[in-house]
Amino acid sequence: MSMSFSAVSVPSSVSRPSYLCSSAYQFSFGAPANYFRSGSGGRVVLHGGPLHLCRKFCGLKQWILENLHRQQHQRKLGPTNEYKSIKNQVKDQSTDQSGSTLSHEDSNDQTSKITSELEESSLLSSQPHASVTVPTTSVESPSMPQTRSSKFLVEHGEEPSLCIAVIGATGELARRKIFPALFALYYSGFLPENVSIFGYSRKNMTDEDLRSMIASTLTCRVDHQENCGDKMDVFLSRTHYINGGYDNREGMSKLNVLMKRFEGKSEANRIFYLSVPQEALINVACSLADNAQTQKGWNRVIIEKPFGFDVLSSHRLTQSLRSKFEEKQIYRIDHLLGRNLIENLTVLRFANLVFEPLWSRTYIRNVQVILSEDLGVQAGRYFDGYGIIRDIVHSHILQTIALLAMETPISLDGEDIRNEKAKLLRSVRKLEPRDVILGQYKGSTRDKVDLFMNSLTPTYFAAALYIDNARWDGVPFLIKAGMGLIQHRVEIRIQFHRVPGNLYRERMGHNIDLATNELILRDTPDEAILVRVNNKIPGLGFKLDSPELNLLYKDKYNVEVPDSYEHLLLDVIDGDNHLFLRSDELAAAWNILTPILNEIDNKNIAPELYELGGRGPVGAYYLWAKHGVRWAED
């Protein structure tokens, strides 16, 4: 007969009864073997006669008690040693010179908190247990202190750091828009405390030179304006400069080393804003991809429009970027898409039952997208050669139409929205010259504005787009985008069909179009949502009018409207990419515009001249009439 034990549970204060080792105590075992050994499955199997079995059993008990004593001793010492090690780590972190924002008092508070937690865990682990389960194969030193240490670092470790590098930091865009937007986000609490800002360019400057340059552009226009000066000083102290020189690979390596100095030991994330000329974009992007990306977090790259000169150059640019970055890392930014009007398009459509059922060819007669710049807006240096089509129409106008006309996405996730936008853009019919009017404003001796007189670069674009799908078949989407016009205006006008068999047509006067309902989404000059309805004029007579029911934002919402760069930069930080062009959206937009661009390049069509400060080319009005549309008055 044999007797096996798969586990033995013994109290920690157990004493050995004398009868267990008494030779007078007899066991009726008939097995001939007189030894014990480990059996299969980790069990301790005892064999032998009565006397030998008693001796072996006493030896097993002694072995168990010795291991229990050693285990208790290690539990008492383990947490204390661990506490000392982690406390030293906390002290080292609080005195680290890599840009930590903890003050001396904050560090002491954090150390005290960690101390109390570790002392409590040490006290709990040193208390005697009622019973100890002994492993069947072997008894090892407890691994609990190591497990608790790793969990502690996860729960109480540093927050992820964020480094933002502005490549081309001395340019006009960086000084006037990017740095002020970053400060506004920092002031409002949308940037982490352990953020670091880096300016990168080829100029020989110091940190103080950069801080002095951008300090004049920072404003305390934010709502609260509390401690704005102090916040500004802290923000500037977190701004650093790198002279990249003329070798971007070497410059990006220096940027990488500097960033590491300000990053913690935990997760480190980086954003690179490429505010550089188009001809330098690929070299800069590839250099930072190879030499400045972090391996401890995510990397995101922001690229300014225009995204190529034509379909071929855009494809080459995309291929170069995709060879170094994943698509989800690339953020193609158009600041006009950061306006509240654009963000509100999906809300208006999908959060209001009153509009969504009307959103089709059944009820909508035409859609007008208007972006007119007045005399106060001057063209950038790159505009000559790119023109309004590549600069504004390709990204802003077509993206606006895509958001306005797309099908309902399955969620508000950025990729789901971009999927629907891409489908819509692929459904847009390619433009034909007969559906397009180009314009160029005349030079003025008085204002000395004659930048475009020696080229065919358009400063005005009007077109009728058609979307070949079931929802929008036959509905013209009319575009008007121009510079140097009479008024600065950005709005979307959705005109509905006339009421069938309208009983009141004679009450509206000779112009039946006055009876047309309209939804107007205005961004400039005053942001508003307007609905034109037919209404009886109060009085004894029976005359109708078409007033506008208005939601004027400045009257309804007493809030500070953030700049579009603030909105879009925050989206990049949050990883929200629905307002940024994806590669397939980019390609679909070029396919729509390529026939017209080819005609311009081959000089088959020339822009019509119009007066600076006027209403644009006369041909645009004939284009609207051909498509049966009354254009909204300026």
Side-chain angles (χ1 to χ4, degrees), residues 344-626:
N344 203 32
L345 286 179
T346 53
V347 177
L348 191 74
R349 278 194 60 186
F350 304 126
N352 294 284
L353 183 61
V354 68
F355 293 125
E356 179 59 21
L358 308 179
W359 223 257
S360 71
R361 61 187 176 88
T362 305
Y363 297 100
I364 293 180
R365 181 182 176 190
N366 66 77
V367 178
Q368 303 174 20
V369 181
I370 306 167
L371 191 153
S372 63
E373 305 281 8
D374 58 15
L375 297 176
V377 178
Q378 297 297 325
R381 68 170 185 83
Y382 73 91
F383 194 90
D384 190 12
Y386 284 94
I388 200 166
I389 300 177
R390 295 176 172 95
D391 179 47
I392 293 178
V393 177
H394 175 264
S395 56
H396 174 66
I397 298 293
L398 291 183
Q399 283 288 301
T400 300
I401 291 175
L403 286 167
L404 184 73
M406 69 180 184
E407 296 298 319
T408 307
I410 62 174
S411 77
L412 292 178
D413 179 75
E415 292 305 319
D416 291 335
I417 294 177
R418 299 208 290 186
N419 288 340
E420 296 303 328
K421 287 195 298 175
K423 291 178 186 177
L424 189 284
L425 290 172
R426 287 196 294 269
S427 300
V428 177
R429 190 184 306 170
K430 290 184 180 180
L431 281 173
E432 299 292 339
R434 66 176 180 270
D435 292 328
V436 174
I437 296 295
L438 302 178
Q440 186 182 82
Y441 60 67
K442 295 179 181 180
S444 171
T445 304
R446 178 173 55 86
D447 296 322
K448 297 181 180 180
V449 180
D450 56 355
L451 299 177
F452 308 108
M453 292 302 295
N454 296 323
S455 72
L456 296 177
T457 303
T459 60
Y460 182 99
F461 177 87
L465 284 178
Y466 285 90
I467 301 172
D468 293 329
N469 64 17
R471 181 185 289 267
W472 299 109
D473 185 29
V475 178
F477 283 74
L478 303 165
I479 300 171
K480 174 183 174 181
M483 298 182 61
L485 299 175
I486 190 173
Q487 184 183 11
H488 182 42
R489 188 166 66 142
V490 180
E491 67 181 23
I492 301 168
R493 303 179 78 98
I494 300 168
Q495 291 186 350
F496 295 91
H497 288 296
R498 302 184 185 98
V499 177
N502 191 347
L503 297 175
Y504 299 97
R505 68 172 67 90
E506 295 180 359
R507 305 285 181 173
M508 298 301 300
H510 66 280
N511 192 345
I512 193 63
D513 284 326
L514 293 177
T516 300
N517 297 128
E518 225 178 349
L519 173 63
I520 305 168
L521 312 177
R522 179 175 296 158
D523 181 75
T524 302
D526 293 316
E527 189 170 2
I529 298 176
L530 312 171
V531 180
R532 186 186 297 276
V533 298
N534 297 318
N535 184 60
K536 177 186 176 297
I537 299 176
L540 298 178
F542 201 88
K543 293 183 179 179
L544 301 187
D545 187 20
S546 296
E548 295 175 347
L549 307 178
N550 69 79
L551 169 60
L552 199 60
Y553 277 57
K554 67 180 182 181
D555 293 340
K556 177 63 177 178
Y557 303 108
N558 186 25
V559 296
E560 185 75 30
V561 178
D563 183 75
S564 57
Y565 278 94
E566 298 173 35
H567 185 178
L568 293 173
L569 281 170
L570 183 58
D571 282 350
V572 176
I573 295 170
D574 292 339
D576 183 356
N577 55 13
H578 81 281
L579 292 177
F580 300 85
L581 278 74
R582 201 168 60 188
S583 297
D584 53 348
E585 296 179 74
L586 198 64
W590 282 118
N591 288 335
I592 297 168
L593 299 173
T594 292
I596 297 302
L597 294 173
N598 289 340
E599 293 293 316
I600 296 174
D601 294 340
N602 295 330
K603 299 183 179 180
N604 293 331
I605 56 175
E608 177 186 338
L609 296 180
Y610 63 92
E611 293 288 341
L612 188 65
R615 298 182 182 275
V618 177
Y621 293 90
Y622 290 100
L623 179 64
W624 313 143
K626 183 174 72 173

Side-chain angles (χ1 to χ4, degrees), residues 108-350:
N108 289 338
D109 292 341
Q110 184 174 356
T111 304
S112 301
K113 183 178 179 181
I114 295 170
T115 302
S116 61
E117 290 176 353
L118 284 171
E119 287 175 346
E120 181 179 335
S121 64
S122 175
L123 179 63
L124 288 174
S125 62
S126 64
Q127 292 177 352
H129 298 272
S131 64
V132 178
T133 300
V134 182
T136 58
T137 53
S138 64
V139 180
E140 298 178 354
S141 299
S143 58
M144 184 61 70
Q146 294 180 350
T147 304
R148 187 166 60 250
S149 175
S150 60
K151 182 180 179 181
F152 174 86
L153 293 177
V154 170
E155 292 181 349
H156 301 278
E158 298 178 355
E159 293 183 358
S161 62
L162 176 63
C163 288
I164 303 175
V166 181
I167 314 300
T170 56
E172 189 74 8
L173 176 64
R175 290 192 302 108
R176 293 179 59 249
K177 292 294 185 180
I178 301 174
F179 285 116
L182 289 174
F183 170 67
L185 291 176
Y186 180 78
Y187 178 87
S188 301
F190 289 106
L191 296 184
E193 279 298 321
N194 52 348
V195 68
S196 298
I197 313 294
F198 300 88
Y200 178 104
S201 77
R202 293 177 175 177
K203 291 187 178 180
N204 187 16
M205 296 173 57
T206 64
D207 291 355
E208 290 303 322
D209 292 335
L210 177 65
R211 293 164 185 169
S212 176
M213 180 190 75
I214 67 176
S216 59
T217 66
L218 305 184
T219 60
C220 298
R221 63 131 189 90
V222 204
D223 297 304
H224 340 297
Q225 297 186 1
E226 297 175 358
N227 303 321
C228 185
D230 296 337
K231 283 278 190 177
M232 189 179 297
D233 291 339
V234 175
F235 176 80
L236 291 174
S237 70
R238 295 178 177 276
T239 305
H240 315 278
Y241 181 75
I242 283 288
N243 180 1
Y246 289 88
D247 184 348
N248 283 316
R249 294 187 178 276
E250 181 180 346
M252 291 298 171
S253 296
K254 293 194 295 183
L255 177 62
N256 182 50
V257 172
L258 184 60
M259 282 182 167
K260 286 183 177 180
R261 286 178 49 194
F262 293 91
E263 292 173 338
K265 297 179 181 179
S266 61
E267 182 181 349
N269 303 316
R270 295 180 182 180
I271 293 175
F272 302 90
Y273 197 122
L274 306 190
S275 178
V276 298
Q278 288 292 301
E279 55 270 19
L281 182 57
I282 292 179
N283 179 268
V284 171
C286 293
S287 297
L288 80 84
D290 294 335
N291 300 281
Q293 293 197 86
T294 180
Q295 302 301 319
K296 299 191 301 179
W298 48 254
N299 299 273
R300 293 169 185 162
V301 181
I302 304 174
I303 299 171
E304 272 281 351
K305 65 180 177 73
F307 313 112
F309 186 79
D310 52 24
V311 63
L312 182 59
S313 62
S314 178
H315 177 72
R316 289 173 178 169
L317 175 61
T318 297
Q319 291 298 103
S320 297
L321 293 174
R322 291 292 301 274
S323 67
K324 297 293 184 179
F325 302 99
E326 298 179 23
E327 180 65 43
K328 65 180 181 180
Q329 295 180 265
I330 304 171
Y331 288 74
R332 299 174 181 87
I333 190 172
D334 181 345
H335 72 280
L336 294 173
L337 295 175
R339 303 292 297 174
N340 189 65
L341 167 67
I342 304 301
E343 184 74 6
N344 203 32
L345 286 179
T346 53
V347 177
L348 191 74
R349 278 194 60 186
F350 304 126

Side-chain angles (χ1 to χ4, degrees), residues 31-52:
N34 54 5
Y35 62 91
F36 70 94
R37 63 177 184 271
S38 296
S40 60
R43 298 182 301 166
V44 179
V45 184
L46 297 102
H47 303 273
L51 180 60
H52 292 89

